[in-house]
Every structure is written in C-alpha cells, then in structure tokens.
C-alpha cells in the first residue's frame, strides 16, 4: 500500500507538477471553481452571530487571507531567487508553470472576493441577525478558510520539493528525453548543458552530492542515446559534445579537489569508453581516451593527485584492451592502440617532469604490468606474427623506458623486469609468445648499455638471460631496424650497442648453463683483517695474529 501511494505521488509529480501546460492549468482552475461552487451551494448555515460580528468576521477573513497569501508568495519568491542564483534560472520557469499556482490563487481569491462581496451585502435588520443566505455564505467562507490553509501547507511542501536541486535536475532530464525523442538534438544538448551548469555550481558550493547526482544523470542520458558504430558515426558529434561537458565539470571538480565528483566522472568516462568499444566505434573510443589525457594534462599533473592519475591510466589501458579483444587486429585497430599509448606516453612524460615520484609512478603504472596486459592481449596465440603491428607500440614504449633508464632508481626498473619474467617464463617453450618480449628486452638492454647504466644492464640480463637462449635472428632483426631505432640512441649508430648487449646476454646464458646455482670457489680467511693491532683490546691485550690467521673455506654462490 505504501509503495503504491509513493508510486502514485511520483507519477503525479512527473506528469503534472513538473510539466504543467496551459490545458493542465485550465483544468486545475475548473476543478477549483467547481469545488468552491459546491461548497457555496451545499454548506449548511451554522453561523450564529449578529450583524456586527458578521462584518468583523468577513473583514477578518478577507484581510487574513490576503496577508497570508502576500507573505507566502514573498517568501517563496525569495527562496526561488536564491535557488536560481545558486543552481540555475530554470527553477523560475518551473515555478511559473507550477499548476498549484492556479489552484491556490483560485481558492484564496475566490474566498477573499466572496467575503468582500458578502460584506458589501450586509444590511441593517431589526432583528440584528443576518439572513439565511448570508449565514450560509459565511459558513461556506469558514469552510473555504480551512481549505485555504490546508492548500497552503500542501503548496509549500511541493514548492520546497521543487527547490531541491535533484528535483530540478530530474525535471530537466524529463525535458531532455522529450526533446531527444522528438529529434530535436540541439535542444536536448541544451538540457545537458543546463545540468552541467548545475553540477559546476554545486562543485563550487562544495555540494558533492548534487554534483554526483548531475553526473549520474548526464551519464544516463548518454547511455540512452544512440551509440555510434563502426558503420554509422552520424551521432558521434552528439556524444562528443556530452563528453566535452563532462570534461568541463571535471576541470572544476579537480581544482576544488572534490574527489567524489572527479572519481565519478572518470568512472562514467570509462563505462562509455567500454560501450563505444563494444559498439565498434573507434572514433568515439578515441574521444574518451583523449578526454582522459586532457583531464590529466590540464587538471591532475602537478597537484599531487597521483591516485586519480593512476585511475585514469588504468582506465585507458582497460578501454584499449577491450577494443583489442572485440576487434580484429586491423590497421584501424593498430592505429587506435598506438594513439592510446601515445596519450599514455604524454601522461608519463608530464608525470616524470612535474611529480616528485614520477619515475616510480611511470615504472609501476604505465610501463610494467598494465602494459604487459595490453601486450599479451595483442600477442595472443599469434605471437611474433603480430610484431609488425606492435613495432610502433614498442617504439612508443621505449620513449618512456629511455627516460626511466636514464634517471630512475634501480628499484623502479625492477617493476619492468618483474612483469617481463611474469609474462615470459610461463611460455618458455613457445617462441611465438615470447618473441615480442625478447625484442623489447634486447632493445632496452642496448639502451642501458648506451646510457652507461651498468646496474640496469646487469639487472635486465639477470632477469631474462638465464631463462632464454639468445637468438641471433632477433639481433639481426633489430640491426636491420637500426635506422628506425637510432633515435633512442640520440642518433648514434645503435648496432654496436645491440651487439654488446647480445654478447653479454649470450655470455650470461652460457655462464648460468654451466653454473645453474653459481660456481664453487675457495674463500681465503687469512688477511681479512688488515690492521690487526687495532683489535688488540678485543683479545684482552694478546697478539691478534694468533687468532686471526684463519683457514680457507669453501663457498657456493
């Protein structure tokens, strides 16, 4: 019963109170007039005062109702103006179209005019008692007075509901649906812009609840709109406009550090990116990827919001992987993947440049496990047959890797070697699966040799060289690409660095094959303490040489 009553009230609010039209207002007026006519006609006479009391009574009714009506409307208009200045001027339009205006004014004006009319019709009578028709009219006025107060209470309740921002947003959303279904897309976009304005003002007022509600409604509008597809991108401009509005809200929310609103915007962009990927529209998915990059570049980098940057990076990887899973590796797909990682590369460069721990973030969140998932999704069962598609991706990867190899701590590079081992070792017997990783490994090792990062060279070779036998064809493939990869070596000839890295790899592999657990060797203990006289007190003044001579010991490393 309670649910049915609530549903009835909701339907009444949706159909009549928020979307009043002229016929609806006329209907309200007719109903009000009919109710007053019935009250005037069938109310029994129960007034028992004299003529003087009747005059005072009618004057009091008229003045009281007029004062209450004027005061109520003044207060309501002040509240509406404050709400309009805080959120949107549309609340004025909704109030003007409010059908209860007609009902309330009809009751109040009808009662006031009727009381004044009866007051003008009072004549002195020898019995000092009002006539029957006058008594019956004053009785009706008393009943109408009670109904006016009840109507005012109901009216104030509905006006308060109207002033709530979620009610305003819901009303605009209803207008959006009507405009979109009628094919007036520009009008529909205007409604979206109005909700965006409310969200921006809510963020400025630190009202995160209202802002999140607005973002959810905008996302719902996007979900209900026709999705662009691979074959039909005719509605792409429509989605691009809405994504642009979300970027505008994000710009303000990130500056105000409203993380709840910001996180919700990123989540909604991710959901739309996934839907675009499923619909087959790479152009629409690219718009979302570009939106992430724009948000990070303009609003996140430099503000120490690393958790938000990480969320954006993870969602870009997620959308890109989803595209790869749902499409064949065509030229358009490869171009999309490359463009996505180029955006990630730009994010990585900005983070390294502006954030205190930028190198660690890039190593952990961009060029390690997340990239490994993307690479494994592309490789799939085809392995090195897709290397031609991935070369551009690997080269983009190297732009970031070079920055890490040049200046980062060794612990950051461990992030890379960890995902390399995790992705490669389970497929040691499958050359097709491991070939792209070995390609990247040899290229990174040669880069570390060029940059004279001996510690990183040893780390990379120890991480991979033990488990995989060097392949000279791989070296030849990279040497044949030297004109393409020499930019990573500052346009020096890369061949000698590739060869040196390969020889080190080959030597370490041969070493681990001969000594899987390390070589056995004899350790000399004598002579370990050079200045023995310093330690004389340790032996209570005796000659330390007697006790520090030592013998040889065997050790296995």
């Amino acid at each position: 019963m309670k649910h049915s009553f609530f549903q009835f009230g909701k339907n009444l609010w949706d159909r009549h109170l928020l979307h009043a039209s002229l016929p609806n207002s006329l209907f309200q007026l007719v109903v009000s007039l009919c109710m007053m006519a019935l009250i005037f006609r069938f109310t029994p006479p129960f007034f028992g005062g004299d003529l003087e009391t009747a005059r005072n009574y009618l004057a009091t009714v008229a003045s009281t109702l007029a004062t209450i009506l004027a005061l109520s409307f003044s207060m309501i208009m002040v509240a509406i103006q404050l709400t309009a200045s805080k959120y949107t001027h549309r609340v004025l339009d909704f109030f003007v179209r409010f059908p209860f205006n007609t009902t309330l004014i009809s009751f109040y004006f009808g009662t006031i005019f009727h009381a004044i009319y009866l007051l003008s019709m009072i004549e002195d009578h020898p019995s000092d008692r009002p006539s029957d028709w006058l008594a019956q009219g004053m009785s009706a006025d008393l009943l109408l007075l009670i109904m006016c107060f009840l109507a005012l209470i109901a009216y104030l309740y509905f006006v308060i509901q109207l002033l709530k921002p979620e009610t305003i947003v819901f009303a605009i959303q209803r207008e959006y649906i009507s405009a979109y279904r009628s094919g007036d897309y520009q009008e529909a976009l205007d409604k979206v812009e109005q909700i965006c304005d409310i969200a921006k003002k809510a963020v400025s007022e630190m009202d995160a609840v209202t802002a999140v509600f607005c973002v959810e409604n905008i996302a719902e509008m996007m979900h209900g709109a026709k999705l662009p597809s691979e074959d039909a991108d005719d509605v792409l401009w429509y989605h691009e406009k809405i994504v642009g509005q979300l970027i505008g809200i994000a710009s303000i929310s990130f500056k105000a550090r409203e993380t709840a609103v910001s996180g919700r915007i990123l989540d909604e962009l991710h959901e739309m990116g996934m839907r675009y990927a499923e619909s087959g529209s790479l152009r629409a998915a690219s718009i979302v990827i570009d939106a992430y990059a724009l948000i990070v570049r303009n609003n996140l980098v430099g503000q120490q919001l690393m958790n938000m940057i990480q969320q954006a990076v993870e969602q870009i990887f997620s959308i890109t992987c989803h595209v790869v899973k749902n499409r064949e590796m065509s030229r358009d797909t490869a171009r999309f993947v490359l463009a996505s990682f180029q955006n990630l590369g730009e994010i990585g460069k900005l983070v390294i440049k502006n954030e205190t721990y930028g190198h660690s973030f890039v190593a952990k969140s961009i060029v390690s496990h997340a990239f490994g998932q993307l690479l494994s999704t592309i490789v799939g069962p085809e392995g090195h047959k897709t290397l031609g598609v991935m070369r551009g991706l690997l080269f983009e990867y190297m732009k970031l890797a070079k920055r890490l190899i040049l200046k980062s701590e060794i612990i950051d590079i461990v992030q890379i070697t960890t995902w390399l081992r995790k992705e490669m070792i389970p497929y040691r017997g499958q050359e097709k699966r491991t070939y792209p990783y070995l390609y990247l490994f040899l290229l990174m090792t040669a880069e570390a040799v060029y940059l004279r990062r001996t510690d990183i060279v040893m780390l990379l070779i120890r991480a991979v060289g033990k488990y995989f036998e060097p392949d000279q064809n791989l070296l030849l493939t990279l040497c044949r690409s030297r004109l393409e990869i020499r930019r990573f070596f500052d346009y020096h000839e890369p061949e000698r660095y590739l060869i040196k890295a390969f020889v080190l790899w080959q030597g370490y592999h041969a070493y681990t094959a001969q000594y899987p657990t390390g070589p056995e060797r004899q350790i000399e203990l004598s002579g370990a303490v050079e200045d023995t006289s310093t330690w004389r007190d340790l032996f209570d003044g005796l000659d330390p040489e007697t006790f520090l001579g030592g013998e040889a010991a065997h050790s296995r490393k």
Side-chain angles (χ1 to χ4, degrees), residues 313 317 341 359-376 397 400 404 412-420 422-423 437 440 444:
V313 168
F317 271 120
F341 197 78
H359 290 84
S360 298
F361 174 82
V362 172
K364 179 181 178 181
S365 301
I366 298 182
V367 296
S368 56
H369 298 284
F371 179 80
Q373 294 176 1
L374 174 60
L375 194 59
S376 62
Y397 178 95
L400 278 180
L404 294 179
D412 299 330
I413 307 301
V414 170
Q415 298 283 346
I416 299 176
T417 57
T418 301
W419 78 258
L420 276 175
K422 183 179 179 180
E423 295 289 342
Y437 299 95
L440 183 58
M444 287 190 358

Side-chain angles (χ1 to χ4, degrees), residues 177-217:
I177 294 174
S178 177
Y180 185 85
R181 289 177 177 175
S182 65
D184 191 350
Y185 299 126
Q186 189 57 53
E187 179 67 18
L189 286 176
D190 290 341
K191 306 303 178 186
V192 175
E193 185 176 355
Q194 291 170 11
I195 296 180
C196 289
D197 290 340
I198 295 175
K200 294 173 183 177
K201 291 182 179 179
V203 172
S204 302
E205 296 287 338
M206 307 300 288
D207 185 0
V209 175
T210 299
V212 169
F213 182 76
C214 293
V215 172
E216 291 174 348
N217 276 268

Side-chain angles (χ1 to χ4, degrees), residues 263-314:
R264 191 65 182 178
I265 292 174
L266 294 180
D267 289 339
E268 295 298 347
L269 286 174
H270 176 249
E271 184 175 351
M272 289 310 303
M274 300 294 276
R275 288 167 63 89
Y276 294 150
E278 293 173 358
S279 70
S281 177
L282 293 181
R283 293 175 61 191
S286 297
I287 290 174
V288 174
I289 300 295
D290 293 339
Y292 276 116
L294 185 63
I295 289 172
V296 173
R297 182 169 62 248
N298 293 346
N299 305 115
L300 295 181
V301 173
Q303 296 196 39
Q304 301 297 321
L305 295 173
M306 300 306 295
N307 58 328
M308 289 294 177
I309 298 177
Q310 182 175 358
Q311 182 179 349
V313 168
E314 290 174 352

